[in-house]
Amino acid sequence: MKENNCIFCKIANGEIPSATVYEDEDFRVILDLSPASKGHALILPKEHYANLFELDDELAAKVLPVAKEVVSKMKEILHCDGYNLVQNNGEVAGQTVHHFHLHLIPRYEGDDVGIQWKPGTLSEEVKEEILSKLR
């Protein structure tokens, strides 16, 4: 299903032109118009899913193989030093377009891309709290 007012639905289905680097029956991968670095791309499913939690399991299983294929080709072309795969869910996590998408962000030695956090410490209390609720 597509959502009429979703910009990523329109891009993924070819209604809005994009710089497409890969396409199959389920996905379109495009260069991001606001890239974090040279070669930053987005994997967009052609069907609408607001976030990871709505994504169909069968389609979810196809996302990483697509990422692997695209990143492998892009690394050869861009000669980047590494890659970040970033997927945000919810506004507080940085999601600005509510259509599932995976960022493929090339990394270059000395770049200014800020995908970092200050490492904390997992306390025994928090660990036990989480594990006991998962069991």
Side-chain angles (χ1 to χ4, degrees), residues 5-6 19 25 28 32 34 39 46 71-72 89 98-99 104 106-107 111-112 121:
N5 294 324
C6 177
E25 66 183 25
R28 182 182 298 259
D32 195 313
S34 300
K46 292 182 177 181
V71 166
S72 295
N89 294 280
H98 296 280
H99 179 113
L104 310 175
R107 297 302 303 270
D111 69 22
D112 223 3
T121 303

Side-chain angles (χ1 to χ4, degrees), residues 8-71:
F8 280 0
C9 281
K10 292 176 182 178
I11 293 170
N13 289 285
E15 296 171 40
I16 295 175
S18 64
T20 300
V21 297
Y22 172 92
E23 183 176 11
D24 65 22
E25 66 183 25
D26 298 310
F27 301 100
R28 182 182 298 259
V29 182
I30 64 166
L31 293 177
D32 195 313
L33 290 177
S34 300
S37 67
K38 179 182 177 183
H40 179 169
L42 302 174
I43 298 178
L44 306 174
K46 292 182 177 181
E47 296 295 324
H48 184 82
Y49 300 92
N51 54 46
L52 175 66
F53 309 109
E54 290 186 8
L55 190 62
D56 174 85
D57 287 346
E58 186 177 320
L59 196 63
K62 296 177 180 180
V63 173
L64 282 181
V66 168
K68 182 180 176 183
E69 182 176 341
V70 172
V71 166

